[in-house]
């Protein structure tokens, strides 16, 4: 099946800094950089899109012959 580790800190930090994303137009607010220490296929960008904080993540699966996983993470404050 494979494994993948996701660092959600860039998403959390970006969301906390910008507060209410509905006040902003679509824009990039953060980035998780590809490195030898992670399994990213490409840099993972954190954006505000239509008033939501969204992060696209593309990862190579670990401990398996081959495989990739593509995810879209969305920040939802606990008060909603």
């Amino acid at each position: 099946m494979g494994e993948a580790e996701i660092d959600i800190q860039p998403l959390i930090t970006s969301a906390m800094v910008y507060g209410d994303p509905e006040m902003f137009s679509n824009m990039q607010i953060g980035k998780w950089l590809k490195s030898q220490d992670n399994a990213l296929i490409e840099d993972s960008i954190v954006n505000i899109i239509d008033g939501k904080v969204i992060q696209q993540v593309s990862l190579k699966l670990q401990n398996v012959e081959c495989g990739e996983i593509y995810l879209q993470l969305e920040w939802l404050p606990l008060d909603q």
Side-chain angles (χ1 to χ4, degrees):
M1 293 284 294
E3 301 173 354
E5 289 187 22
I6 301 171
D7 182 2
I8 61 170
Q9 193 61 47
L11 176 67
I12 293 169
T13 302
S14 299
M16 298 297 286
V17 167
Y18 280 87
D20 183 4
E22 293 179 356
M23 297 175 51
F24 300 94
S25 60
N26 294 356
M27 62 188 216
Q28 179 180 326
I29 60 171
K31 185 183 282 191
W32 178 23
L33 299 175
K34 177 183 174 183
S35 73
Q36 293 180 354
D37 296 329
N38 60 46
L40 287 174
I41 295 170
E42 58 188 16
D43 292 347
S44 177
I45 307 298
V46 182
N47 292 303
I48 293 177
I49 301 173
D50 298 329
K52 299 176 182 176
V53 178
I54 305 285
Q55 182 175 9
Q56 303 286 339
V57 183
S58 304
L59 297 161
K60 292 181 218 169
L61 293 176
Q62 305 297 303
N63 301 320
V64 67
E65 188 174 317
C66 64
E68 298 174 350
I69 187 166
Y70 298 89
L71 304 169
Q72 177 176 299
L73 307 175
E74 180 179 340
W75 172 262
L76 295 173
L78 292 176
D79 60 345
Q80 287 189 350

